PDB file of all heavy atoms in Angstrom:
ATOM      1  N   ARG T  34      -5.032   9.195  -2.768  1.00  0.00           N
ATOM      2  CA  ARG T  34      -5.776   9.542  -3.982  1.00  0.00           C
ATOM      3  C   ARG T  34      -5.891  11.051  -4.187  1.00  0.00           C
ATOM      4  O   ARG T  34      -5.861  11.826  -3.246  1.00  0.00           O
ATOM      5  CB  ARG T  34      -7.164   8.922  -3.950  1.00  0.00           C
ATOM      6  CG  ARG T  34      -8.108   9.614  -2.998  1.00  0.00           C
ATOM      7  CD  ARG T  34      -9.546   9.119  -3.141  1.00  0.00           C
ATOM      8  NE  ARG T  34     -10.314   9.604  -2.020  1.00  0.00           N
ATOM      9  CZ  ARG T  34     -10.604   8.887  -0.951  1.00  0.00           C
ATOM     10  NH1 ARG T  34     -10.204   7.635  -0.882  1.00  0.00           N
ATOM     11  NH2 ARG T  34     -11.277   9.409   0.039  1.00  0.00           N
ATOM     12  N   ASN T  35      -6.045  11.402  -5.444  1.00  0.00           N
ATOM     13  CA  ASN T  35      -6.331  12.767  -5.850  1.00  0.00           C
ATOM     14  C   ASN T  35      -5.309  13.792  -5.353  1.00  0.00           C
ATOM     15  O   ASN T  35      -5.654  14.772  -4.688  1.00  0.00           O
ATOM     16  CB  ASN T  35      -7.753  13.161  -5.417  1.00  0.00           C
ATOM     17  CG  ASN T  35      -8.279  14.330  -6.213  1.00  0.00           C
ATOM     18  OD1 ASN T  35      -7.824  14.582  -7.326  1.00  0.00           O
ATOM     19  ND2 ASN T  35      -9.225  15.047  -5.654  1.00  0.00           N
ATOM     20  N   ASN T  36      -4.057  13.527  -5.658  1.00  0.00           N
ATOM     21  CA  ASN T  36      -2.972  14.461  -5.421  1.00  0.00           C
ATOM     22  C   ASN T  36      -2.266  14.674  -6.757  1.00  0.00           C
ATOM     23  O   ASN T  36      -2.845  14.384  -7.808  1.00  0.00           O
ATOM     24  CB  ASN T  36      -1.995  13.912  -4.370  1.00  0.00           C
ATOM     25  CG  ASN T  36      -2.532  14.069  -2.962  1.00  0.00           C
ATOM     26  OD1 ASN T  36      -2.633  15.172  -2.460  1.00  0.00           O
ATOM     27  ND2 ASN T  36      -2.890  12.956  -2.336  1.00  0.00           N
ATOM     28  N   SER T  37      -1.081  15.146  -6.720  1.00  0.00           N
ATOM     29  CA  SER T  37      -0.280  15.287  -7.944  1.00  0.00           C
ATOM     30  C   SER T  37       1.011  14.493  -7.799  1.00  0.00           C
ATOM     31  O   SER T  37       2.090  14.962  -8.162  1.00  0.00           O
ATOM     32  CB  SER T  37       0.012  16.767  -8.211  1.00  0.00           C
ATOM     33  OG  SER T  37      -1.169  17.451  -8.526  1.00  0.00           O
ATOM     34  N   LEU T  38       0.888  13.289  -7.243  1.00  0.00           N
ATOM     35  CA  LEU T  38       2.049  12.422  -7.106  1.00  0.00           C
ATOM     36  C   LEU T  38       2.387  11.863  -8.482  1.00  0.00           C
ATOM     37  O   LEU T  38       1.507  11.642  -9.312  1.00  0.00           O
ATOM     38  CB  LEU T  38       1.754  11.306  -6.112  1.00  0.00           C
ATOM     39  CG  LEU T  38       1.397  11.788  -4.699  1.00  0.00           C
ATOM     40  CD1 LEU T  38       0.968  10.613  -3.832  1.00  0.00           C
ATOM     41  CD2 LEU T  38       2.550  12.526  -4.065  1.00  0.00           C
ATOM     42  N   TYR T  39       3.660  11.634  -8.737  1.00  0.00           N
ATOM     43  CA  TYR T  39       4.084  11.266 -10.087  1.00  0.00           C
ATOM     44  C   TYR T  39       5.269  10.311 -10.050  1.00  0.00           C
ATOM     45  O   TYR T  39       5.861  10.056  -9.010  1.00  0.00           O
ATOM     46  CB  TYR T  39       4.469  12.526 -10.869  1.00  0.00           C
ATOM     47  CG  TYR T  39       5.612  13.289 -10.240  1.00  0.00           C
ATOM     48  CD1 TYR T  39       6.933  12.988 -10.548  1.00  0.00           C
ATOM     49  CD2 TYR T  39       5.374  14.285  -9.308  1.00  0.00           C
ATOM     50  CE1 TYR T  39       7.983  13.666  -9.948  1.00  0.00           C
ATOM     51  CE2 TYR T  39       6.413  14.971  -8.703  1.00  0.00           C
ATOM     52  CZ  TYR T  39       7.713  14.668  -9.029  1.00  0.00           C
ATOM     53  OH  TYR T  39       8.754  15.327  -8.425  1.00  0.00           O
ATOM     54  N   GLY T  40       5.605   9.783 -11.217  1.00  0.00           N
ATOM     55  CA  GLY T  40       6.786   8.935 -11.372  1.00  0.00           C
ATOM     56  C   GLY T  40       6.513   7.476 -11.107  1.00  0.00           C
ATOM     57  O   GLY T  40       5.390   7.048 -10.890  1.00  0.00           O
ATOM     58  N   VAL T  41       7.582   6.728 -11.135  1.00  0.00           N
ATOM     59  CA  VAL T  41       7.528   5.287 -10.890  1.00  0.00           C
ATOM     60  C   VAL T  41       7.451   5.038  -9.394  1.00  0.00           C
ATOM     61  O   VAL T  41       8.140   5.690  -8.609  1.00  0.00           O
ATOM     62  CB  VAL T  41       8.781   4.600 -11.491  1.00  0.00           C
ATOM     63  CG1 VAL T  41       8.809   3.125 -11.158  1.00  0.00           C
ATOM     64  CG2 VAL T  41       8.834   4.816 -12.991  1.00  0.00           C
ATOM     65  N   ILE T  42       6.603   4.112  -8.998  1.00  0.00           N
ATOM     66  CA  ILE T  42       6.513   3.727  -7.585  1.00  0.00           C
ATOM     67  C   ILE T  42       7.619   2.721  -7.322  1.00  0.00           C
ATOM     68  O   ILE T  42       7.633   1.635  -7.895  1.00  0.00           O
ATOM     69  CB  ILE T  42       5.136   3.129  -7.258  1.00  0.00           C
ATOM     70  CG1 ILE T  42       4.057   4.192  -7.474  1.00  0.00           C
ATOM     71  CG2 ILE T  42       5.113   2.596  -5.842  1.00  0.00           C
ATOM     72  CD1 ILE T  42       2.650   3.694  -7.276  1.00  0.00           C
ATOM     73  N   LYS T  43       8.544   3.109  -6.472  1.00  0.00           N
ATOM     74  CA  LYS T  43       9.671   2.241  -6.120  1.00  0.00           C
ATOM     75  C   LYS T  43       9.539   1.823  -4.668  1.00  0.00           C
ATOM     76  O   LYS T  43       9.157   2.619  -3.826  1.00  0.00           O
ATOM     77  CB  LYS T  43      10.992   2.986  -6.313  1.00  0.00           C
ATOM     78  CG  LYS T  43      11.246   3.406  -7.738  1.00  0.00           C
ATOM     79  CD  LYS T  43      12.533   4.185  -7.841  1.00  0.00           C
ATOM     80  CE  LYS T  43      12.743   4.683  -9.253  1.00  0.00           C
ATOM     81  NZ  LYS T  43      13.917   5.531  -9.371  1.00  0.00           N
ATOM     82  N   SER T  44       9.868   0.579  -4.393  1.00  0.00           N
ATOM     83  CA  SER T  44       9.814   0.120  -3.010  1.00  0.00           C
ATOM     84  C   SER T  44      11.121   0.453  -2.309  1.00  0.00           C
ATOM     85  O   SER T  44      12.157   0.618  -2.938  1.00  0.00           O
ATOM     86  CB  SER T  44       9.550  -1.380  -2.947  1.00  0.00           C
ATOM     87  OG  SER T  44      10.646  -2.106  -3.431  1.00  0.00           O
ATOM     88  N   SER T  45      11.013   0.564  -0.994  1.00  0.00           N
ATOM     89  CA  SER T  45      12.235   0.730  -0.209  1.00  0.00           C
ATOM     90  C   SER T  45      12.890  -0.642  -0.105  1.00  0.00           C
ATOM     91  O   SER T  45      12.410  -1.611  -0.673  1.00  0.00           O
ATOM     92  CB  SER T  45      11.898   1.274   1.188  1.00  0.00           C
ATOM     93  OG  SER T  45      11.299   0.270   1.971  1.00  0.00           O
ATOM     94  N   ARG T  46      13.925  -0.716   0.633  1.00  0.00           N
ATOM     95  CA  ARG T  46      14.595  -2.016   0.812  1.00  0.00           C
ATOM     96  C   ARG T  46      14.082  -2.737   2.056  1.00  0.00           C
ATOM     97  O   ARG T  46      14.713  -3.666   2.558  1.00  0.00           O
ATOM     98  CB  ARG T  46      16.102  -1.814   0.884  1.00  0.00           C
ATOM     99  CG  ARG T  46      16.657  -1.238  -0.404  1.00  0.00           C
ATOM    100  CD  ARG T  46      18.166  -1.261  -0.407  1.00  0.00           C
ATOM    101  NE  ARG T  46      18.693  -0.610  -1.576  1.00  0.00           N
ATOM    102  CZ  ARG T  46      18.935  -1.221  -2.723  1.00  0.00           C
ATOM    103  NH1 ARG T  46      18.695  -2.488  -2.849  1.00  0.00           N
ATOM    104  NH2 ARG T  46      19.426  -0.546  -3.744  1.00  0.00           N
ATOM    105  N   ALA T  47      12.928  -2.308   2.532  1.00  0.00           N
ATOM    106  CA  ALA T  47      12.349  -2.923   3.727  1.00  0.00           C
ATOM    107  C   ALA T  47      12.060  -4.400   3.488  1.00  0.00           C
ATOM    108  O   ALA T  47      11.619  -4.788   2.414  1.00  0.00           O
ATOM    109  CB  ALA T  47      11.065  -2.207   4.113  1.00  0.00           C
ATOM    110  N   LYS T  48      12.288  -5.173   4.500  1.00  0.00           N
ATOM    111  CA  LYS T  48      11.969  -6.597   4.427  1.00  0.00           C
ATOM    112  C   LYS T  48      10.469  -6.743   4.679  1.00  0.00           C
ATOM    113  O   LYS T  48       9.957  -6.279   5.687  1.00  0.00           O
ATOM    114  CB  LYS T  48      12.759  -7.378   5.475  1.00  0.00           C
ATOM    115  CG  LYS T  48      12.526  -8.860   5.416  1.00  0.00           C
ATOM    116  CD  LYS T  48      13.362  -9.590   6.424  1.00  0.00           C
ATOM    117  CE  LYS T  48      13.089 -11.073   6.352  1.00  0.00           C
ATOM    118  NZ  LYS T  48      13.860 -11.801   7.346  1.00  0.00           N
TER     119      LYS T  48
END
Side-chain angles (χ1 to χ4, degrees):
R34 74 171 168 261
N35 201 23
N36 282 291
S37 293
L38 300 174
Y39 61 88
V41 175
I42 297 176
K43 298 178 184 175
S44 68
S45 73
R46 297 190 185 271
K48 183 178 179 182

